[in-house]
Amino acid sequence: MGIVYKENCNFSNGSGVTIKKMVTTLQHGLLNSEKGTMSSILNVRETITFDDSIHRIENHAYKPYGQSVFGYNDSVSIVIQNENSYLLPSESRLFIEGKIVNTAKTKATDANLGKNCALFLFSELQYRLNNEVVDHVRNPGITTLLKGTASFTPDHSNILLNAGWGSVANIKELVDSKGHFNFCIPLKMIFGFCEDYKKIILNARHELVLIRNRNDTSSVLATKSDPDVQIILEKVWWEMPHVHVSDKNQIPLWNILKNDRSLRLAFRHWDLMESIAPEFNFWYWQIKFTTHLETARYVILGFQVDREAYDKDSSIFDSVDITNLKVYLNSVRYPEENFLCDFETKTMAQAYDLYSRFQPSYYIYNGLSKPLFSPIEFHNNPIFVIDCSHQNESIKSSIIDMKIEIETKNPFKRNTMAYCLVIHDVIIDMNPTTNRVIKRVQI
């Protein structure tokens, strides 16, 4: 077992426990840990089982009805009317095709698509079931940047690039000489509903609503602040998996409809708040009033200074000389101790530690976290993560006054935008028979 033991080696370790006893215990522990493996290789008549509960999964594409132009501020609606199918929204994808052009038409554009350009094209996205909004994302470009930077790992790089998330140089390689591009965005990258709820949806009308942004400033990175550039959306479609189950597994699903049972859909909603920071070095920012219906679990903050121009990168966040940060839920503050950092002297270990601990906490696993950013990348593009997922009953059962206390080394600069992403619990009751969709009164 890799341990040498002699019967007469009976020395004390100074704590009253002999070395002989310690080694014997360790030997028994190693034997017990391998017992399962040994019994497994001897089980030559082990039963072989196959999972044939699902016959097949078909991916069907759905397009906006009768809409060929997607201009600024336009609302694009994609509807799936087939209510007799079993659909899997968690694995659905949004496809976008378009081109970046020079509006003067005298030459090819010098501008490039920026990081997360596809989602910066929209000001709001909504997911509806039976005409009820079950999840929505405002300013999806910023929202997914904050959530994705905390959630994604380096292993996601290829999938993210296919969704328009990557360096400007890499995205440029996906655009042809005439400016055409094509991206595929998993909906679980956009909505907490699609990320958390991984089951099929029975007998429901699905609708995806996309509201085009008022300009392309955040999607484009150019060498001058006001170039002759425009992004034209040519095609948008939604690919949804249809699940066909076996006859044996069809019966319990039919019984749900027959007995008029409601289904409970639980997920975490990503709610983005925005504000212009005051030109002071202390800010008491009141975020929102909420109830125990939507228990706040995480708060992710990011700051950007003067980004309203084509030559400014909207995908990068600024440190804004933050030295302390607190989130208050009523009288309870998170974190308990002072949040101390100084990006000028690269004193940011606590900020990075809180950022790196988000993944195992949010996805509930004990393994090693794999943050997307290294400490060096974090210094150049910081976000601030506050974990308030553990709360006492007084907070859960009362109206919550959420405030953020921010201290900076120097006053906020003019045109500093503060973004606060609040991730909170949502539970929806849906009745597949009556098509009623209701947010629960209690969690």
Side-chain angles (χ1 to χ4, degrees):
M1 304 305 297
I3 297 175
V4 178
Y5 170 66
K6 294 183 179 180
E7 187 67 30
N8 60 355
C9 185
N10 192 8
F11 300 104
S12 172
N13 66 351
S15 61
V17 180
T18 63
I19 298 297
K20 175 181 177 180
K21 182 178 180 180
M22 292 173 62
V23 174
T24 304
T25 302
L26 184 55
Q27 283 182 319
H28 283 298
L30 290 172
L31 288 171
N32 289 334
S33 67
E34 293 189 356
K35 184 177 180 180
T37 305
M38 295 300 293
S39 61
S40 176
I41 63 175
L42 297 178
N43 187 11
V44 295
R45 294 181 58 82
E46 183 177 3
T47 303
I48 300 174
T49 59
F50 298 93
D51 184 5
D52 56 357
S53 57
I54 297 176
H55 282 169
R56 67 182 185 278
I57 298 178
E58 300 174 348
N59 291 301
H60 293 263
Y62 296 89
K63 300 179 180 180
Y65 179 75
Q67 189 165 2
S68 58
V69 179
F70 310 100
Y72 297 135
N73 297 315
D74 279 355
S75 179
V76 181
S77 178
I78 308 175
V79 179
I80 303 177
Q81 293 280 11
N82 193 349
E83 298 182 8
N84 295 323
S85 299
Y86 303 145
L87 306 184
L88 189 61
S90 62
E91 295 300 323
S92 66
R93 297 163 292 277
L94 176 66
F95 287 85
I96 295 174
E97 285 188 6
K99 60 181 177 180
I100 178 171
V101 299
N102 187 296
T103 54
K105 298 181 180 179
T106 57
K107 61 177 182 178
T109 179
D110 295 328
N112 295 304
L113 295 175
K115 180 180 178 179
N116 209 23
C117 55
L119 290 175
F120 271 118
L121 292 172
F122 304 99
S123 61
E124 185 175 358
L125 301 174
Q126 299 176 0
Y127 198 110
R128 298 183 180 182
L129 286 177
N130 298 329
N131 298 318
E132 293 289 336
V133 177
V134 295
D135 204 2
H136 67 94
V137 173
R138 290 182 286 112
N139 196 345
I142 292 293
T143 298
T144 54
L145 272 176
L146 289 170
K147 172 61 171 56
T149 300
S151 297
F152 297 142
T153 71
D155 297 336
H156 290 113
S157 58
N158 291 333
I159 296 175
L160 293 176
L161 184 59
N162 194 44
W165 175 311
S167 67
V168 175
N170 287 338
I171 294 178
K172 187 176 181 179
E173 295 297 320
L174 301 179
V175 181
D176 70 7
S177 58
K178 295 183 180 180
H180 290 93
F181 61 84
N182 169 241
F183 296 118
C184 170
I185 310 169
L187 255 65
K188 56 189 172 185
M189 176 180 168
I190 305 173
F191 296 111
F193 167 65
C194 294
E195 183 184 42
D196 291 335
Y197 191 76
K198 303 182 186 300
K199 301 178 179 62
I200 61 173
I201 302 291
L202 308 178
N203 286 32
R205 178 184 186 271
H206 298 248
E207 183 179 3
L208 185 63
V209 178
L210 307 91
I211 302 175
R212 185 84 153 83
N213 217 333
R214 66 181 185 274
N215 56 50
D216 300 322
T217 305
S218 299
S219 298
V220 172
L221 193 59
T223 55
K224 56 182 180 179
S225 61
D226 189 20
D228 297 322
V229 64
Q230 181 184 6
I231 294 179
I232 300 175
L233 274 184
E234 297 177 325
K235 294 180 182 179
V236 176
W237 72 93
W238 185 14
E239 192 173 271
M240 174 68 75
H242 288 235
V243 179
H244 298 266
V245 302
S246 65
D247 293 339
K248 179 181 178 181
N249 289 274
Q250 185 77 263
I251 295 174
L253 299 177
W254 284 340
N255 286 335
I256 292 174
L257 302 176
K258 179 181 177 180
N259 298 325
D260 195 21
R261 296 177 182 172
S262 293
L263 301 177
R264 186 159 295 169
L265 285 60
F267 61 95
R268 289 166 289 190
H269 173 60
W270 313 339
D271 203 354
L272 182 69
M273 306 294 167
E274 307 174 43
S275 179
I276 298 177
E279 296 179 44
F280 303 107
N281 59 357
F282 183 87
W283 183 20
Y284 210 47
W285 183 13
Q286 183 167 335
I287 297 297
K288 64 183 293 187
F289 287 95
T290 186
T291 67
H292 60 288
L293 303 180
E294 301 172 343
T295 306
R297 296 299 184 184
Y298 301 89
V299 176
I300 305 176
L301 289 129
F303 301 87
Q304 292 184 340
V305 181
D306 193 19
R307 290 295 197 277
E308 292 295 323
Y310 284 97
D311 59 345
K312 307 292 185 180
D313 193 341
S314 298
S315 68
I316 296 178
F317 295 101
D318 301 314
S319 66
V320 296
D321 298 325
I322 282 186
T323 57
N324 196 10
L325 190 63
K326 286 282 187 296
V327 172
Y328 288 86
L329 301 180
N330 292 345
S331 59
V332 182
R333 67 180 186 180
Y334 302 85
E336 295 78 8
E337 301 297 329
N338 283 333
F339 185 94
L340 299 176
C341 59
D342 187 341
F343 280 79
E344 185 177 347
T345 62
K346 299 189 177 182
T347 305
M348 57 179 189
Q350 184 183 7
Y352 183 80
D353 178 64
L354 291 174
Y355 156 73
S356 65
R357 283 192 280 155
F358 175 82
Q359 290 176 7
S361 174
Y362 190 82
Y363 297 106
I364 312 177
Y365 65 85
N366 296 321
L368 185 65
S369 177
K370 296 181 180 180
L372 186 65
F373 286 167
S374 67
I376 298 173
E377 294 169 315
F378 181 82
H379 176 267
N380 299 324
N381 189 3
I383 63 171
F384 303 91
V385 180
I386 305 297
D387 184 348
C388 48
S389 58
H390 301 290
Q391 301 172 10
N392 59 40
E393 293 300 320
S394 64
I395 293 180
K396 293 180 181 179
S397 60
S398 63
I399 296 177
I400 297 175
D401 180 14
M402 179 181 292
K403 296 178 182 178
I404 300 179
E405 181 183 292
I406 305 172
E407 296 181 45
T408 60
K409 194 173 185 179
N410 299 299
F412 286 104
K413 295 179 181 178
R414 185 184 296 273
N415 298 326
T416 296
M417 285 297 302
Y419 299 102
C420 173
L421 182 64
V422 182
I423 301 178
H424 57 78
D425 298 339
V426 173
I427 293 183
I428 302 292
D429 277 341
M430 190 194 78
N431 190 307
T433 306
T434 63
N435 291 334
R436 293 186 64 189
V437 177
I438 304 173
K439 180 179 289 189
R440 290 184 61 211
V441 177
Q442 298 287 340
I443 281 186

